Amino acid sequence: MTRIGCVREATLNIKRRMIRKGLCLILFLSPVFLPSHAGSQATEYTLGVVPQYASSAIYKAWLPFAEYLSQRTGITIKLKLSKSFPEFERDLTDGAFDFVFMNPYQQARSREKQGYIPLVHDSADQLTGILVVPRDSPITSVKELDGAKIAFPSPNSFAASLYPRALLIAQEKISFTPEYVNTHDNVYRHVIVGRATAGGGVRKTFQKQPPAVQEQLRVIYETPGVTPHPLSAHPRVPENVRQDVVMAILDLSQTREGSQMLADIAIPQPTTANYYRDYGDLEKLDVDRYRVEDAEE
């Protein structure tokens, strides 16, 4: 080979090595080989739900929603259900949930303890607590419940227990014996079979009862309304993920199937939430004195 040929061959070899190095650098930096957001963001998140119903009912209603969010946002959202209301509150206090559906009072408390951020809530109706009695009961006023046994789902369930108990004691000036029976469903059934004179629930859970249950009960008292349960996020969830979840929920409400899915989880008409506008006033309610700390079912 001539000297010129040797120089040309050496030059080609150098170019080949440079091209190979360039390709390796491109592949290394390619999004295919990099995790989303350069590895700074989790891809799996937990979703907790306040246990108003039996776990099987919550799972049935919320699993399709979690699966939809996972498909729509590209992240994995897994249900993390608590066995009881007290366990749920402990998990909430510990920040165990990435996303969580909780009552308004829990939103106020969890914001103080963990910084939970409300994302969306239902805009159709306000949340109101109710007291029910058997339809054929002679009782027409809460004053007539003085000295009676009243069933509640849990000591610290806000609209169905904590708020009405505070109002009955502070405003109505009556005494009563509370009995805690775990779920709203159990409250209504306790009243029907006569195991309690009255029972505390919320308007929405009462309306979701089978007609045979509703027909045997009568509402005698309703609390002032508050903004309904929010779906909230822990501040460790990146803002872009929170925004993706909000948009996915708002879009879901635009279809018939999506609206039904949202109705099943008590957010039939979702709207964006703002803590100070929607839940800030709850900090002023004097209901902490009626809480039962470390309550067990």
Side-chain angles (χ1 to χ4, degrees), residues 34-71:
L34 284 175
S36 61
H37 303 286
S40 62
Q41 181 172 296
T43 58
E44 183 173 307
Y45 298 91
T46 57
L47 169 60
V49 181
V50 60
Q52 294 174 299
Y53 307 97
S55 294
S56 57
I58 296 174
Y59 190 82
K60 180 180 179 181
W62 283 85
L63 181 60
F65 176 74
E67 291 177 340
Y68 161 78
L69 287 183
S70 297
Q71 294 171 359

Side-chain angles (χ1 to χ4, degrees), residues 56-287:
S56 57
I58 296 174
Y59 190 82
K60 180 180 179 181
W62 283 85
L63 181 60
F65 176 74
E67 291 177 340
Y68 161 78
L69 287 183
S70 297
Q71 294 171 359
R72 171 63 189 270
T73 63
I75 60 178
T76 299
I77 296 182
K78 292 188 174 182
L79 285 180
K80 178 181 174 63
L81 301 186
S82 305
K83 296 178 181 178
S84 67
F85 193 93
E87 179 180 299
F88 174 81
E89 288 213 315
R90 287 193 292 270
D91 289 341
L92 193 58
T93 299
D94 293 341
F97 308 114
D98 297 312
F99 294 96
V100 56
F101 184 71
M102 58 181 141
N103 72 45
Y105 184 62
Q106 289 167 336
Q107 171 60 72
R109 286 177 58 86
S110 66
R111 181 181 182 277
E112 176 185 355
K113 296 179 181 299
Q114 286 285 341
Y116 275 101
I117 304 164
L119 302 180
V120 299
H121 64 75
D122 180 42
S123 63
D125 296 296
Q126 287 196 308
L127 175 67
T128 58
I130 59 173
L131 288 175
V132 299
V133 296
R135 183 166 294 277
D136 59 1
S137 170
I139 294 175
T140 59
S141 166
V142 291
K143 293 291 188 182
E144 299 173 70
L145 294 176
D146 191 34
K149 178 189 289 186
I150 304 178
F152 298 99
S154 176
N156 302 327
S157 177
F158 175 65
S161 178
L162 189 60
Y163 196 18
R165 286 185 2 252
L167 293 173
L168 290 178
I169 296 170
Q171 293 187 8
E172 302 298 333
K173 308 297 183 183
I174 68 172
S175 61
F176 53 90
T177 301
E179 181 178 2
Y180 304 112
V181 297
N182 301 333
T183 67
H184 292 227
D185 293 350
N186 286 346
V187 167
Y188 302 131
R189 284 159 177 75
H190 266 61
V191 176
I192 289 173
V193 301
R195 297 182 62 180
T197 304
V202 300
R203 178 67 70 175
K204 287 186 177 181
T205 64
F206 181 65
Q207 292 171 341
K208 289 175 72 70
Q209 295 298 307
V213 172
Q214 295 188 47
E215 291 167 1
Q216 297 183 69
L217 297 170
R218 176 166 47 86
V219 177
I220 64 166
Y221 181 78
E222 191 162 8
T223 69
V226 297
T227 302
H229 293 48
L231 178 69
S232 304
H234 195 280
R236 65 173 166 263
V237 177
E239 182 179 1
N240 67 295
V241 175
R242 301 198 303 263
Q243 291 175 349
D244 287 347
V245 167
V246 170
M247 291 306 302
I249 294 172
L250 297 180
D251 288 347
L252 186 61
S253 67
Q254 302 304 307
T255 67
R256 180 182 301 177
E257 296 79 5
S259 295
Q260 182 57 58
M261 187 185 298
L262 289 169
D264 290 342
I265 63 171
I267 317 177
Q269 295 181 29
T271 188
T272 54
N274 175 278
Y275 177 79
Y276 292 105
R277 179 193 66 209
D278 300 323
Y279 303 105
D281 286 347
L282 295 179
E283 296 178 3
K284 304 173 186 177
L285 289 180
D286 186 22
V287 297

